[in-house]
Amino acid sequence: MFAIIDCNSFYCSCERLFRPNLSNKPVVVLSNNDGCIISRSDEAKSLGIDMGAPLFESRQLLKKHDVAVFSSNYHLYGDLSMRVMDTLRFLSDDATYRCVEVYSVDEAFINLDHLPLNALEDFAVRLRDVVFQWTGIPVSVGIASSKVLSKVANRLSKKNKKKTGCIMVLDDADKVQAALEMTDVSDLWGIGRRYARKLKEEYGINTAWQLKHMPMEWARKNLGGVVGVRMIRELNGEPCIRMKDPLEKKKMIATTRMFGKPVFDLPSLKEAVATFAARAAEKLRRQYGAATGIDVFVVTNGIEGASYEYNPQHHHRYFTMTRSTSDTGELIRIALPLVESLYRNGTKYVKAGVMLTGIVPDDALQGDLFSVAVKNQNRALMQAMDNINFSMRDDMVKYVSSGLTRNWKMRQEMRSKRFTTRWLEVYVVRAG
DNA sequence: TCTGGGGTCCTAGGACCC
DNA sequence: TCTGGGGTCCTAGGACCC
């Protein structure tokens, strides 16, 4: 059996932790650049505020109902996420069973094969209560025989919190049937917009229960090949999506941002790309990796003076290196000519990014037959830089090409303090 | 007039997730 | 005026190999 533990309205719950006066009030958290609404408390949901709604469209509604609005504060959420995950690992004896998979910042799967069926409900209650007691974050727990079914259970547990207490265990066929019958295909984990529409319009399949009874061959043809087959099996309670090894490294690392305001000039664009390359390299070194490919992209949105229209166009350039590297300076040197070659005078740029691919472990750095012995990658320098930036302040030490003014920096006008990760911003209970 | 079979690797692009 | 960021997996098709 699998459990999925999901933090309720995670970002909002984090904000509320330090603003207890907001505990029954509507709260929303915005995406980077204060663009869209990406987390909503229950009270905000019931006001009809949609997930992903652009802020400017919801301003009226937010004001009318006195909704508390926060910019996203990833230092805070990341730290609280760690505490929740640590608690889950502790409660499930992860050191012994190696059974916790952190799936996202606010979700984790736990493999429960070592527990008897009749112990599942109690275990779920314990998870919910102890996590709340130790971290202050409310969670929902769904348990079933496959990951897809556990997601179904989790979702339903939140639908009617009073009745379920945010816990649902699908441990017999009747419960599974009832759950699948009340689940729309579009709410299944793995069925997105496209497939949901196709299923409904072309095949008249509306519920998860209907989908469960479709033949494998049909799924192979019409639902993305092996992915579709897996979906049918999972719906039938047969686990096909394995637990991921927590030691697995990322295969791609990206750092991308919308600009706070549009950029028209090349120097600013280069500054941004250099900054993103530096950030990406930092992430790369954190997993002891080195990259062989770098992809730089910019996003344009019409030309200066043209009337506003949201019609983003991506342009990118790729470069494959003869040997992998994790050196910030080297990556910046490669990235800058790429962005120069992309730049067109008079174009309005709204976003840019750097993606590192072809990631290999950095102890297996492949030498290059045609260049002199590798100069140790400036590794000592990189390490010193990372240490300073980690312990003091992001960007305490940086490359000049990343710029000093940074006019393109994103907007974050309503960010709360980094209560748990910055000494200067620690929560004050009593002054003096 | 006619032109094999079997395989690998890579990239682009689509679909999905939170 | 104004619409996030960071990932994964899969497939098709081209280039190339013997």
Side-chain angles (χ1 to χ4, degrees):
Chain A
M1 300 289 274
F2 296 88
I4 176 88
I5 291 80
D6 187 322
C7 302
N8 300 342
S9 307
F10 182 54
Y11 295 171
C12 291
S13 299
C14 292
E15 297 295 348
R16 275 175 167 168
L17 218 46
F18 295 90
R19 295 283 303 277
N21 59 315
L22 295 177
S23 67
N24 292 309
K25 301 268 172 55
V27 176
V28 300
V29 176
L30 307 178
S31 64
N32 270 326
N33 219 26
D34 295 344
C36 323
I37 293 166
I38 53 169
S39 180
R40 307 155 297 154
S41 69
D42 285 340
E43 298 77 13
K45 286 176 193 169
S46 63
L47 290 175
I49 297 167
D50 287 332
M51 179 67 179
L55 174 63
F56 70 93
E57 279 178 20
S58 308
R59 274 232 157 84
Q60 298 283 331
L61 197 60
L62 296 173
K63 200 166 171 192
K64 184 170 157 205
H65 293 95
D66 199 22
V67 178
V69 180
F70 293 91
S71 301
S72 36
N73 180 348
Y74 292 106
H75 282 268
L76 180 64
Y77 312 150
D79 186 58
L80 292 173
S81 170
M82 239 171 52
R83 298 181 188 195
V84 170
M85 299 309 170
D86 281 345
T87 308
L88 295 179
R89 281 188 279 257
F90 176 85
L91 293 173
S92 46
D93 289 323
D94 192 52
T96 309
Y97 298 107
R98 304 209 306 133
C99 56
V100 176
E101 173 192 336
V102 176
Y103 176 68
S104 73
V105 69
D106 69 332
E107 279 178 62
F109 285 105
I110 303 181
N111 184 302
L112 303 174
D113 289 346
H114 56 283
L115 288 184
L117 277 185
N118 61 14
L120 297 176
E121 188 90 35
D122 288 346
F123 182 65
V125 170
R126 190 165 144 73
L127 288 176
R128 180 196 64 193
D129 293 350
V130 176
V131 169
F132 186 71
Q133 190 188 348
W134 289 7
T135 69
I137 301 293
V139 300
S140 301
V141 185
I143 297 181
S145 61
S146 70
K147 281 185 167 178
V148 167
L149 289 179
S150 73
K151 290 284 266 186
V152 167
N154 185 285
R155 186 179 154 277
L156 292 175
S157 80
K158 291 195 215 216
K159 278 271 156 195
N160 190 347
K161 291 185 179 164
K162 282 236 170 65
K163 194 174 141 210
T164 63
C166 291
I167 288 171
M168 183 172 289
V169 182
L170 301 179
D171 51 5
D172 71 44
D174 291 344
K175 290 183 194 166
V176 172
Q177 176 169 357
L180 291 183
E181 279 175 344
M182 63 175 100
T183 299
D184 192 282
V185 281
S186 63
D187 291 323
L188 282 171
W189 183 54
I191 300 293
R193 268 216 160 69
R194 286 256 158 58
Y195 283 142
R197 214 174 81 194
K198 183 170 169 184
L199 287 172
K200 291 181 184 187
E201 289 177 4
E202 287 180 35
Y203 303 100
I205 298 171
N206 293 294
T207 66
W209 181 247
Q210 288 174 294
L211 184 58
K212 166 190 148 109
H213 291 95
M214 296 304 286
M216 306 282 180
E217 276 322 300
W218 171 89
R220 190 185 305 280
K221 263 206 210 87
N222 303 298
L223 211 59
V226 299
V227 181
V229 173
R230 209 165 54 195
M231 168 64 72
I232 305 290
R233 288 183 193 268
E234 285 261 326
L235 282 174
N236 280 282
E238 185 187 332
C240 303
I241 305 176
R242 63 187 177 83
M243 295 291 285
K244 226 178 108 187
D245 184 339
L247 297 179
E248 265 175 52
K249 309 284 198 224
K250 301 224 164 77
K251 295 166 182 163
M252 183 204 82
I253 288 174
T255 300
T256 72
R257 291 282 180 283
M258 295 279 301
F259 299 135
K261 53 187 181 199
V263 163
F264 293 92
D265 64 300
L266 182 58
S268 295
L269 206 56
K270 285 168 71 176
E271 246 181 58
V273 165
T275 305
F276 302 156
R279 284 285 304 141
E282 219 175 276
K283 294 184 204 168
L284 183 64
R285 293 193 291 271
R286 208 178 305 149
Q287 69 166 40
Y288 305 104
T292 47
I294 179 167
D295 189 84
V296 172
F297 74 87
V298 294
V299 180
T300 63
N301 191 26
I303 50 167
E304 189 173 7
S307 68
Y308 184 77
E309 194 183 336
Y310 192 56
N311 177 29
Q313 311 264 330
H314 288 70
H315 309 271
H316 72 115
R317 283 264 195 291
Y318 186 83
F319 185 81
T320 306
M321 292 165 268
T322 49
R323 90 188 142 68
S324 57
T325 182
S326 62
D327 181 317
T328 298
E330 231 176 310
L331 290 167
I332 290 179
R333 271 196 296 281
I334 296 167
L336 291 183
L338 294 178
V339 64
E340 277 168 15
S341 75
L342 284 168
Y343 180 75
R344 297 284 173 271
N345 196 11
T347 304
K348 171 170 153 186
Y349 294 96
V350 296
K351 175 180 182 171
V354 171
M355 295 206 278
L356 302 178
T357 57
I359 294 174
V360 296
D362 106 8
D363 51 14
L365 290 184
Q366 174 97 38
D368 175 357
L369 194 55
F370 301 105
S371 65
V372 255
V374 180
K375 37 187 196 303
N376 197 23
Q377 295 287 304
N378 284 330
R379 211 169 301 184
L381 172 62
M382 290 300 117
Q383 206 165 42
M385 216 171 79
D386 289 344
N387 284 339
I388 293 171
N389 284 337
F390 182 75
S391 60
M392 306 196 54
R393 177 160 70 75
D394 303 336
D395 294 342
M396 189 78 177
V397 182
K398 65 189 173 202
Y399 281 73
V400 172
S401 49
S402 315
L404 300 168
T405 53
R406 301 192 166 179
N407 292 324
W408 42 269
K409 265 191 75 165
M410 67 182 177
R411 288 188 298 262
Q412 276 196 319
E413 285 159 7
M414 296 153 280
R415 200 186 68 200
S416 50
K417 294 190 174 173
R418 291 167 289 195
F419 299 109
T420 63
T421 55
R422 287 289 182 272
W423 285 114
L424 289 174
E425 301 178 19
V426 161
Y427 197 82
V428 177
V429 176
R430 198 182 62 184

